[in-house]
Amino acid sequence: LEQGEQVTLLKLIQGLLINSGNDAGVAIAEHLSGSVEQFSVDINDYLQNEIHLTNTQFMNATGLFHPDHVTTASDLAQLTQYAVRNDIFMSIFGMHELPWGGESWNTTIVSHHRILNGEIPVAHITGGKTGYVPQSRYTLATTAKNEHLNLIAITLKGTKYGIYRDTKELVNYAFE
């Protein structure tokens, strides 16, 4: 995003979820709470009081490293379970790519989730989000659904390819 560029909230959320657009995260935080610092206070209050997460504290709107920015696989699964109840969120969470026209560039943003984008085949995948910072290593949230089960798989502190192997094994095991 360019400074002063106006983009819909929906498009910002798409950029944040599909392609880890940190600029979109900052813009969302500033729009909702006036600043990233206040957003951190607001989101932590919401997560604790509305979703009842007990081991999560977000210090920014991007997920980039901060020594006090923490969560657990259990809290991320609970947060994902809450979020996928929203049809708009779920439609974005399942997107592989999205054409993006901005003030300074036009492109197609793509998901880095190798299972979601079809690079690593796993049946019944419905959505996903990747994460990476050197301090926390690779992380992955993935949803899957068949006629009997809705699944959420969370992998944390993994290797670049290990998160996909582990997610594939978890999903296949659960469906078998």
Side-chain angles (χ1 to χ4, degrees), residues 47-138:
L47 294 173
Q48 184 177 31
N49 295 314
E50 298 296 325
I51 306 177
H52 309 292
L53 301 188
T54 57
N55 297 300
T56 295
Q57 179 172 298
F58 293 145
M59 301 306 295
N60 58 50
T62 64
L64 293 176
F65 180 76
H66 184 287
D68 296 327
H69 190 113
V70 295
T71 193
T72 64
S74 177
D75 274 8
L76 286 178
Q78 190 174 337
L79 177 58
T80 303
Q81 184 178 37
Y82 177 86
V84 299
R85 293 181 194 140
N86 181 291
D87 291 337
I88 296 170
F89 173 86
M90 197 59 214
S91 71
I92 300 167
F93 200 59
M95 288 180 132
H96 306 177
E97 62 182 34
L98 178 74
W100 186 277
E103 285 188 12
S104 61
W105 51 278
N106 291 310
T107 190
T108 298
I109 58 173
V110 296
S111 171
H112 300 291
H113 193 299
R114 295 170 183 228
I115 297 172
L116 183 62
N117 70 22
E119 186 178 328
I120 299 171
V122 179
H124 309 295
I125 299 301
T126 58
K129 176 71 184 88
T130 62
Y132 175 79
V133 293
Q135 299 86 345
S136 302
R137 302 178 57 194
Y138 292 88

Side-chain angles (χ1 to χ4, degrees), residues 145-162:
K145 180 180 180 178
N146 71 9
E147 59 276 0
H148 304 289
L149 289 174
N150 290 316
L151 301 176
I152 297 170
I154 305 292
T155 58
L156 302 177
K157 296 187 87 166
T159 62
K160 186 174 185 177
Y161 298 104

